């Protein structure tokens, strides 16, 4: 937690504020004289974005992932794309950066260079991966291509990705995955 709090703030003040306890009570908790109850652990973990698993895990080789679960809403795909852009911008903000890719599908931004392919992949992801109800009984059609909703976002993702040094490990399976998806919907 010390690393998460602003430099102008003290740990005891933060603990006291989050737990709504006195400074003296916060000191007792920090020193271990008073044990934290589960509600207090939950409040601190939530405030500082720390997994409870990370705190209580006895294994040092544990890897904890965080992410947003699919809520099957219409905005899910757009939110995912915004999140991809945010992750790429975060990586790009570092002085030393590099991305390594090994996927069973082509990296998603390569579809953005071709509007027809991008439209198909957007349709596929929303229907088959995100289970968007609006796509439940729809069939893909090149006649209904309209990427205007995502065009600004895809261009920003491409621009950001192209600034980051990458190593991409491709194989035939990556291209075959997209071809099988097209064949499936054909």
């Amino acid at each position: 937690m010390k690393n998460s709090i602003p430099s102008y703030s003290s740990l005891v003040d933060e603990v006291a504020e989050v737990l709504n306890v006195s400074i003296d009570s916060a000191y007792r908790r920090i020193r271990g004289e008073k044990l934290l109850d589960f509600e207090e652990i939950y409040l601190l973990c939530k405030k500082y974005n720390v997994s409870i698993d990370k705190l209580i895990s006895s294994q040092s080789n544990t890897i904890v992932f965080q992410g947003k679960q699919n809520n099957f809403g219409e905005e899910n795909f757009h939110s995912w794309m915004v999140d991809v852009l945010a992750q790429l911008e975060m990586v790009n903000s570092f002085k030393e950066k590099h991305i390594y890719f090994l996927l069973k599908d082509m990296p998603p931004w390569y579809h953005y260079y071709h509007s027809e392919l991008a439209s198909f992949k957007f349709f596929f992801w929303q229907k088959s991966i995100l289970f968007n109800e609006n796509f439940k009984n729809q069939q893909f059609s090149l006649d209904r291509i309209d990427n205007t909703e995502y065009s600004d976002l895809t261009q920003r993702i491409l621009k950001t990705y192209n600034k980051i040094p990458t190593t991409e490990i491709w194989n035939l399976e990556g291209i075959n995955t997209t071809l099988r998806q097209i064949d499936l919907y054909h």
Side-chain angles (χ1 to χ4, degrees):
M1 284 176 34
K2 284 182 183 180
N3 294 335
S4 299
I5 63 173
S7 59
Y8 56 82
S9 188
S10 72
L11 178 62
V12 70
D13 290 336
E14 291 282 325
V15 170
E17 181 182 332
V18 171
L19 301 181
N20 197 25
V21 296
S22 69
I23 298 292
D24 184 52
S25 188
Y27 271 121
R28 285 197 304 274
R29 284 166 173 80
I30 292 169
R31 289 191 300 258
E33 295 169 4
K34 171 148 180 26
L35 295 179
L36 295 166
D37 63 32
F38 281 114
E39 178 67 20
E40 291 172 331
I41 293 170
Y42 167 76
L43 291 171
L44 291 168
C45 287
K46 185 176 177 184
K47 168 75 176 177
Y48 297 103
N49 198 25
V50 174
S51 167
I52 291 176
D53 292 342
K54 189 174 180 180
L55 292 177
I56 61 176
S57 177
S58 61
Q59 295 179 339
S60 61
N61 61 350
T62 300
I63 299 172
V64 179
F65 292 92
Q66 290 177 288
K68 297 176 186 169
Q69 292 192 357
N70 186 3
N71 64 8
F72 303 101
E74 289 182 41
E75 74 292 339
N76 237 14
F77 183 64
H78 186 267
S79 296
W80 175 77
M81 289 185 67
V82 168
D83 190 51
V84 167
L85 177 60
Q87 290 178 44
L88 289 171
E89 286 173 339
M90 189 256 317
V91 170
N92 193 43
S93 71
F94 294 112
K95 184 179 177 185
E96 292 186 39
K97 56 198 166 233
H98 196 98
I99 295 177
Y100 294 90
F101 268 105
L102 173 61
L103 303 169
K104 288 196 108 177
D105 197 351
M106 298 180 339
W109 22 88
Y110 284 95
H111 308 114
Y112 303 165
Y113 288 111
H114 311 282
S115 64
E116 294 88 356
L117 182 58
S119 292
F120 172 75
K121 291 301 265 193
F122 293 169
F123 173 84
F124 176 81
W125 292 329
Q126 290 180 80
K127 182 170 179 157
S128 300
I129 306 296
L130 297 174
F131 304 110
N132 184 324
E133 284 294 318
N134 293 339
F135 290 79
K136 191 172 188 172
N137 296 316
Q138 281 192 28
Q139 291 185 327
F140 179 73
S141 171
L142 288 173
D143 298 331
R144 290 185 292 188
I145 291 179
D146 182 15
N147 287 340
T148 54
E149 180 182 356
Y150 302 114
S151 62
D152 178 56
L153 198 47
T154 56
Q155 291 309 303
R156 290 173 54 203
I157 289 171
L158 280 172
K159 248 183 220 176
T160 305
Y161 180 74
N162 287 330
K163 293 177 186 175
I164 302 169
T166 61
T167 300
E168 297 173 352
I169 303 170
W170 287 55
N171 59 42
L172 286 177
E173 193 62 29
I175 293 169
N176 286 338
T177 298
T178 297
L179 293 174
R180 280 194 300 271
Q181 292 165 355
I182 292 169
D183 186 49
L184 172 71
Y185 276 93
H186 177 69

